[in-house]
Amino acid sequence: MNLTQTSARSTVLAQTLFVALVGLTLVFAAGFAQSQGLHDAAHDMRHSTGFPCH
Amino acid sequence: MRHMLSSALFAGFAAGLLCALLQYLLVQPNILLAERYESGELVHFQGIASPEQRAAAMAQSMPGMDMSGEEAGHQHGDGAEGGAHRQALTVLFAVLTYCGYGLALVAGMNLAEQVGVKLGLSQGILWGLAGFMAFQMMPALGLQPDLPGTPASDLTARQIWWAGTAAATVAGLWFAAYGTGLWQRAAGLVVLAAPHIWGAPELASFGGIAPPELAASFAARSLAVGMITWAVLGGLVVTLWHSDPAK
């Protein structure tokens, strides 16, 4: 019983971490990645949201 | 988990659209005007220095500062004017950014509810404002929002400080709000302040080419747009996420 609870809990934890990681990856790609194409496309958004741009 | 993803993405999509609209109305006119100064089309205090003299003076006073990207004329979306292509890219990246923030927010909320924190609409809005603090306001305390053409210190150092400050603010706010006992809360405030005591990467001297009024308006407006968008994002995430009791 305890084991089931613990494993259910760790599943929730793993899922939550996964969701957070997907979110932060998106933010990184939009705000930080320095490929020229990404930089140019995201330029105005980066300036307006206060990401360090160039 | 599917519900967590879908509510964050819907909320992020809506918040991103709102952000793009507010930026179009308030922030982008400043950026476009600044780019006319950046390109040398307009000169603040005409007659004091030509763009070439300015670039030479800046290269001399700030070795190690890379203006090559600026001077080599990198592309800003669709050229210097606010064309449809450029607007569409800004909308796209606003949506992407706020979807990312929405996912991080819902993950944090789920974690909080796992440890017994109850979240309603007003807490959701507060969480949104906390996200604004972590990802925009506190980093801006050290690295002010820059207009295009503003000289700045080394990019990697700024990105590291920015990310560290965001992380420290998240952790600090968590302990300040949900810590048990005075010590944990006080430690939260210390963590919150740490990156600012350490200090952000600094410029050796000033060399901005746009008028200070324009830069001030840009900084104030971009922070205001961020605050509104984050508050809406937090409210939407918690509302959509709780709309299905199955979660």
Side-chain angles (χ1 to χ4, degrees):
Chain A
M1 183 64 186
N2 253 344
L3 261 180
T4 338
Q5 274 180 350
T6 316
S7 84
R9 194 145 210 194
S10 60
T11 311
V12 170
L13 198 68
Q15 289 179 343
T16 308
L17 282 179
F18 173 74
V19 171
L21 208 66
V22 173
L24 293 178
T25 308
L26 266 183
V27 172
F28 178 85
F32 272 61
Q34 278 305 306
S35 96
Q36 193 63 39
L38 261 182
H39 167 273
D40 293 347
H43 179 264
D44 288 4
M45 183 61 195
R46 287 187 181 183
H47 274 281
S48 315
T49 11
F51 289 111
C53 198
H54 27 66
Chain B
M1 172 156 113
R2 193 188 273 177
H3 186 56
M4 205 152 67
L5 286 173
S6 62
S7 40
L9 292 177
F10 273 119
F13 184 75
L17 289 184
L18 173 71
C19 173
L21 175 70
L22 291 174
Q23 280 188 5
Y24 176 71
L25 295 175
L26 293 170
V27 182
Q28 214 198 11
N30 287 348
I31 294 184
L32 294 177
L33 187 54
E35 280 174 359
R36 294 174 66 197
Y37 283 97
E38 186 186 12
S39 68
E41 183 192 339
L42 295 177
V43 180
H44 183 47
F45 289 132
Q46 208 136 16
I48 288 183
S50 71
E52 293 76 26
Q53 288 168 319
R54 168 180 60 75
M58 234 171 348
Q60 213 169 30
S61 67
M62 273 174 271
M65 195 198 69
D66 183 18
M67 285 295 287
S68 55
E70 295 291 341
E71 302 301 332
H74 61 188
Q75 294 301 306
H76 299 147
D78 199 25
E81 301 310 318
H85 179 224
R86 181 172 179 169
Q87 308 297 356
L89 284 171
T90 298
V91 173
L92 173 72
F93 276 92
V95 165
L96 276 180
T97 305
Y98 280 97
C99 279
Y101 283 149
L103 289 167
L105 204 56
V106 82
M109 286 174 170
N110 192 30
L111 219 56
E113 294 204 334
Q114 293 298 315
V115 299
V117 175
K118 294 263 176 287
L119 296 172
L121 177 61
S122 19
Q123 283 82 8
I125 293 171
L126 281 177
W127 272 62
L129 291 174
F132 164 70
M133 264 184 84
F135 290 98
Q136 203 166 348
M137 198 185 84
M138 296 305 268
L141 212 55
L143 299 170
Q144 75 284 8
D146 271 340
L147 276 174
T150 311
S153 48
D154 176 60
L155 178 67
T156 312
R158 280 182 291 139
Q159 288 187 328
I160 291 171
W161 190 86
W162 190 101
T165 303
T169 309
V170 168
L173 282 175
W174 174 277
F175 283 107
Y178 300 120
T180 47
L182 188 65
W183 283 112
Q184 278 197 12
R185 287 171 185 243
L189 293 181
V190 172
V191 173
L192 201 66
H196 307 280
I197 296 167
W198 173 273
E202 269 178 25
L203 268 182
S205 66
F206 299 119
I209 43 181
E213 295 88 337
L214 183 61
S217 158
F218 170 77
R221 287 177 178 195
S222 67
L223 285 172
V225 169
M227 195 183 84
I228 296 166
T229 311
W230 268 102
V232 169
L233 178 72
L236 278 179
V237 164
V238 85
T239 308
L240 290 173
W241 187 42
H242 285 170
S243 64
D244 179 358
K247 272 190 211 152

